[in-house]
Amino acid sequence: FSTVPGRLKRLEEACQVIKGLTTNLKTDFDGKFYQLKDAPLNPRPVQNPLPLLIGGGGEHVTLRITAKYADEWNVWGTPETLRNKMAILDEHCDKIGRPRTAIQRSAVALLVLTDDAEQVERMKAAGRPLIAGNAAQVRDIIAEYRDAGVSEVIIPDFNLGRGGKKIEAYDAFMNDVVPAFR
């Protein structure tokens, strides 16, 4: 898997390859890690242009690569973390002359929709970004993300239980939280 710097160098080349393949009928690329000669992409993506999402919060390299190539950026974080990282992303955009608004911003956080304050505190102790509390509290937290500049919040389901419990959690979220953001 290489080192972190090695993976980031591969990521930057991969972004160039992906952009080339999805925007040109044939692509030539001669990089350190990837080489293409007259390469087609067939079938073509339905979306044109195909948006490129880059996830990660590394302030010096990942966000610079994001500023240059991404259509959407995603990171795990709280609204405060997102505001800080977005300011750095915006600086990278300014340095290369790319409009800040060219990149959608999204976040990932765990959902705990409950009236049980003790459960919320236990989950907070785990240290992951968390959207937690009763429906009103969850709406307030999501509003903080929106106010920070996040256009999409991604909620993974691995902590929501299984089967019927997971469906109940999603139903409660869809019925008690989401309507406030439509």
Side-chain angles (χ1 to χ4, degrees), residues 113 134-144 146-147 171-182:
L113 183 55
N134 61 37
Q137 292 166 322
V138 167
R139 285 192 299 269
D140 288 347
I141 294 167
I142 292 175
E144 287 180 46
R146 180 199 59 215
D147 295 346
D171 285 346
F173 182 73
M174 293 301 296
N175 292 325
D176 302 334
V177 176
V178 170
F181 300 96
R182 289 199 171 136

Side-chain angles (χ1 to χ4, degrees), residues 29-99:
F29 186 82
D30 189 22
K32 181 175 180 182
F33 305 102
Y34 305 104
Q35 295 80 41
L36 303 174
K37 180 69 175 153
D38 210 25
L41 177 62
N42 201 0
R44 307 288 303 157
V46 173
Q47 290 175 279
N48 186 19
L50 181 69
L52 179 61
L53 182 147
I54 296 177
E59 297 176 0
H60 300 291
V61 180
T62 304
L63 292 180
R64 178 187 55 76
I65 294 168
T66 300
K68 194 168 183 181
Y69 300 104
D71 300 294
E72 182 174 345
W73 168 66
N74 180 268
V75 71
W76 281 85
T78 63
E80 180 182 355
T81 300
L82 271 287
R83 275 191 293 277
N84 294 334
K85 299 280 185 185
M86 280 193 258
I88 295 164
L89 176 58
D90 289 342
E91 289 174 16
H92 287 296
C93 287
D94 293 346
K95 286 178 187 171
I96 64 168
R98 186 163 186 214

